[in-house]
Amino acid sequence: MLIKVSVENFKSFDQKEELSMISSSKIQGNKGHRMKIKQTQLLKNAVVYGANASGKSNLVTAFAFIKIALMEGLPIWSVNDFCRNKEMNKARESLFELQFTVGDTFYVYGFSAILSQRKITEEWLYELMQDGGAHPLFIREGSSAPVLGDDVKLSDAEKSRFTVYSEDFADHNAQLFLAEMNRGKKYDSNSQLLFFSETFSWIMNNVIVINPNIGISNTEAYYNDESLENISKLIQTFDTGITDIKTRPITVDEMSKMVPAEVVQSIFSHLKAQIQMTNLPSIQMTWRVEGGFFNIRVQGNSEPEISTLVLKHGKSAFDFSFVEESDGTKRLFDLIDMLLTDRPDAVFVVDELERSLHPKLTEHFLKLFMEAHEDVRMQLVFTTHEDVIMDQSLFRRDEIWFVERNADNASKIYSLDRFKERYDKKLNKAYLEGRYGAIPVFQQFSFQKGEQDASTRLY
């Protein structure tokens, strides 16, 4: 489970900002929204509010950036992703860090980099202890070869293996060592280096980022008739008019006619990178892009198997394609896997969850999500403008967060819990009144109403 995310000198975040999933011991309501792991109570939800351009989406982007950096190294386009509100930030380190659990083990993984130079300056992985201490598992500083912590005891064979990997990696300034230790490498179940695999797998497979413009998932939901039937029944509860969902096989050429060629190329490049990184013989993913909804399975060097959705509306004699649906219905297909998945220990990070959805649909979805994953290690972190769901019957105070730009135009993150509101307080009303900040502040504007042009003046 996610414990905390920290980010510094990235996009609108200047100083180090943190969103924590550790629950407050003083809040007694909605106790089912917590999961206890060892002695730590972790929250299952975090809802993030803020005005347009406050930096909410940049928080989601930070999660995605960590995954991209692990998969590809620091991307070329990241050279301008430092916080550009100060000249000095161009040469200053940016920081990205996740605290999380794998099973009952607590980890913190992070790295710092000078983004303008595409240069990793430090990378670390620690095991966190219940007494507040931390044991280093590996540390990498500058261009030096990564080193293991003193508590990591290896056999002679594993020590030799690690030394080769470490020395070969020196001077890989734009790449992350955690990724390198998973690139086509396998570990025995009793290996003392297994933490490399466990932590990398959790970040890459269990942190699932969904934004309004493109949806990606490695769900099984759209690959068999039984799950499609469940999706059909579930989607009917949202009153979309859809009564049945099927899939239809298509070719790469057909797909290329439905979406731009560069999008198709990007999709298959992503799948190829996933296969190379995971060293698996096949991979399948579901993609939602502007031109359609596609299930893609790639096995070795074989031609990819692609299918798209075919939708039925009531008693209509005709089928409908995904692109013919409303924006709200399309958005539901981004989110529906979150209700059906039985993937353990997943963290869904969603930007603008309510995008194109009626407030009642958003509320209905959240209640279904909580019901579907009650007593399960499943978390939801999402940004929103929807004040209707800012209700203490739906969320705990420590689950509600705000992002606001300060006088330096930098984003700050803070929790509603710091306001210590009564349990009967109408939170959404107080929010819209500006009690918690993180709302738009409008400037005065006067329309100039001069004399009419002489040529149009009426006599």
Side-chain angles (χ1 to χ4, degrees):
M1 294 184 73
L2 178 67
I3 303 170
K4 184 185 296 184
V5 59
S6 305
V7 60
E8 178 179 350
N9 193 24
F10 178 70
K11 293 189 176 290
S12 61
F13 296 105
D14 185 0
Q15 300 305 307
K16 185 177 180 180
E17 297 293 327
E18 298 179 340
L19 183 145
S20 174
M21 303 297 285
I22 298 175
S23 74
S24 168
S25 59
K26 298 177 182 179
I27 298 176
Q28 300 303 311
N30 284 325
K31 292 184 178 180
H33 288 207
R34 303 182 301 176
M35 294 292 292
K36 187 174 183 180
I37 301 180
K38 290 187 176 178
Q39 303 304 312
T40 305
Q41 294 276 10
L42 296 177
L43 295 167
K44 299 186 67 177
N45 307 293
V47 49
V48 184
Y49 286 90
N52 292 105
S54 62
K56 302 187 306 300
S57 294
N58 291 337
L59 179 64
V60 175
T61 302
F63 282 94
F65 185 83
I66 292 170
K67 297 184 65 169
I68 291 169
L70 281 167
M71 179 64 67
E72 306 173 4
L74 295 180
I76 293 174
W77 46 260
S78 67
V79 295
N80 290 315
D81 277 349
F82 57 90
C83 183
R84 287 183 281 171
N85 65 347
K86 298 175 184 175
E87 179 66 29
M88 61 177 287
N89 286 347
K90 183 175 182 178
R92 184 172 141 233
E93 289 181 326
S94 300
L95 175 141
F96 306 87
E97 186 176 85
L98 294 174
Q99 292 185 24
F100 55 95
T101 65
V102 179
D104 290 343
T105 304
F106 289 65
Y107 292 106
V108 54
Y109 170 73
F111 61 92
S112 58
I114 300 176
L115 294 179
S116 63
Q117 302 174 18
R118 292 184 66 218
K119 182 180 179 180
I120 305 288
T121 54
E122 193 173 356
E123 184 181 3
W124 57 91
L125 177 64
Y126 286 81
E127 181 180 350
L128 301 175
M129 314 310 293
Q130 291 296 295
D131 62 4
H135 293 168
L137 297 175
F138 86 85
I139 296 174
R140 165 217 187 163
E141 296 181 341
S143 299
S144 302
V147 296
L148 294 173
D150 293 338
D151 293 329
V152 181
K153 306 300 182 183
L154 302 182
S155 65
D156 290 341
E158 283 201 315
K159 188 179 296 184
S160 175
R161 180 185 180 190
F162 177 82
T163 300
V164 171
Y165 294 153
S166 176
E167 291 178 351
D168 285 349
F169 189 77
D171 297 322
H172 282 57
N173 292 332
Q175 307 295 318
L176 291 168
F177 187 60
L178 181 62
E180 181 61 28
M181 290 299 288
N182 284 274
R183 204 178 305 278
K185 298 175 177 64
K186 296 182 179 180
Y187 299 96
D188 295 333
S189 59
N190 60 350
S191 170
Q192 294 301 304
L193 298 174
L194 194 61
F195 58 81
F196 281 109
S197 175
E198 289 180 341
T199 53
F200 178 82
S201 177
W202 187 87
I203 295 171
M204 297 306 295
N205 298 324
N206 292 39
V207 178
I208 302 157
V209 181
I210 301 173
N211 68 50
N213 301 315
I214 185 167
I216 310 171
S217 175
N218 59 353
T219 177
E220 299 274 349
Y222 295 94
Y223 287 86
N224 66 77
D225 292 339
E226 182 180 351
S227 59
L228 283 172
E229 184 178 347
N230 287 334
I231 293 172
S232 298
K233 292 177 180 177
L234 188 56
I235 207 77
Q236 288 178 46
T237 72
F238 289 92
D239 193 28
T240 62
I242 297 173
T243 53
D244 195 23
I245 302 170
K246 301 292 184 185
T247 58
R248 175 176 67 86
I250 60 173
T251 65
V252 175
D253 287 341
E254 287 180 276
M255 181 179 175
S256 299
K257 294 176 182 177
M258 300 166 73
V259 295
E262 60 269 21
V263 175
V264 176
Q265 183 179 353
S266 174
I267 289 173
F268 285 107
S269 295
H270 181 91
L271 289 169
K272 183 179 179 180
Q274 285 274 35
I275 291 175
Q276 290 174 343
M277 176 62 74
T278 58
N279 203 32
L280 294 173
S282 66
I283 193 168
Q284 63 185 33
M285 300 193 92
T286 295
W287 290 70
R288 190 272 302 161
V289 292
E290 187 64 30
F293 193 101
F294 307 99
N295 304 311
I296 306 172
R297 179 184 283 119
V298 179
Q299 295 180 309
N301 295 319
S302 302
E303 279 290 306
E305 300 173 22
I306 310 171
S307 64
T308 189
L309 294 185
V310 177
L311 309 171
K312 192 80 172 178
H313 284 245
K315 297 180 180 179
S316 173
F318 301 95
D319 294 329
F320 293 82
S321 66
F322 180 78
V323 293
E324 295 177 279
E325 296 299 329
S326 70
D327 289 342
T329 299
K330 292 175 183 176
R331 185 60 172 155
L332 283 175
F333 277 93
D334 290 345
L335 307 175
I336 209 77
D337 178 50
M338 295 165 54
L339 302 178
L340 295 174
T341 185
D342 57 0
R343 186 181 314 163
D345 201 15
V347 182
F348 291 98
V349 183
V350 186
D351 193 17
E352 296 184 27
L353 183 134
E354 85 289 1
R355 175 78 169 264
S356 301
L357 297 181
H358 188 280
K360 284 295 183 182
L361 284 186
T362 304
E363 183 179 11
H364 179 60
F365 173 84
L366 290 168
K367 288 180 177 179
L368 284 176
F369 182 87
M370 293 175 188
E371 179 184 344
H373 305 305
E374 188 177 7
D375 301 324
V376 176
R377 291 189 183 186
M378 194 81 66
Q379 290 171 299
L380 173 60
V381 178
F382 69 97
T383 70
T384 185
H385 295 289
E386 187 53 76
D387 63 282
V388 171
I389 59 174
M390 191 187 288
D391 190 313
Q392 292 187 79
S393 66
L394 192 59
F395 292 106
R396 296 162 52 98
R397 288 200 313 273
D398 51 0
E399 292 179 301
I400 298 174
W401 291 77
F402 302 102
V403 177
E404 184 175 59
R405 294 255 192 170
N406 64 13
D408 294 326
N409 207 32
S411 296
K412 308 293 290 184
I413 304 174
Y414 55 96
S415 172
L416 173 66
D417 191 39
R418 81 180 194 183
F419 293 93
K420 310 300 180 187
E421 294 288 23
R422 302 190 315 269
Y423 291 102
D424 60 347
K425 182 79 173 181
K426 293 289 289 184
L427 299 181
N428 60 336
K429 182 175 183 291
Y431 171 60
L432 293 176
E433 290 171 348
R435 174 173 169 75
Y436 313 128
I439 60 172
V441 178
F442 304 114
Q443 303 295 323
Q444 291 287 339
F445 182 84
S446 298
F447 289 97
Q448 299 299 319
K449 298 182 179 180
E451 290 186 347
Q452 287 179 300
D453 187 271
S455 62
T456 60
R457 190 176 299 155
L458 298 178
Y459 290 92

